[in-house]
Amino acid sequence: RGILIKLPKDTALYKEIQISLQRWELSLENEKAKEYYIKALNLGNDKKYKEAIELLKQIKQGTNYYSDALKKIEEYEDALNKN
């Protein structure tokens, strides 16, 4: 990001780089979300619901796994309440 500081903000190149950085950051967040989601599913399969919920809560809104994480949180909380 240091190079961006030297570019005038009103240039097309600056804006293009900003968009590319945002896409790259979202891609990283999606990869992290996928990792957390898969780990949480494995924990849930082992009936470690509290640990699974904690992982699922770390999945950020806007990622590909966010809505699925919310559903799993609800499912695992229901399972905890039944025990």
Side-chain angles (χ1 to χ4, degrees), residues 46-59:
D46 292 337
K47 300 193 184 325
K48 297 179 180 177
Y49 300 121
K50 288 182 184 180
E51 294 172 52
I53 290 168
E54 289 306 312
L55 265 182
L56 292 166
K57 286 182 176 180
Q58 294 181 50
I59 295 175

Side-chain angles (χ1 to χ4, degrees), residues 17-50:
I17 291 171
Q18 284 292 340
I19 291 168
S20 292
L21 278 173
Q22 290 170 352
R23 287 182 183 147
W24 179 71
E25 289 169 348
L26 181 59
S27 176
L28 289 177
E29 284 300 324
N30 278 321
E31 283 300 313
K32 189 187 310 182
K34 178 181 178 181
E35 180 183 331
Y36 288 167
Y37 188 75
I38 290 169
K39 285 182 181 180
L41 290 182
N42 289 331
L43 288 166
N45 288 337
D46 292 337
K47 300 193 184 325
K48 297 179 180 177
Y49 300 121
K50 288 182 184 180

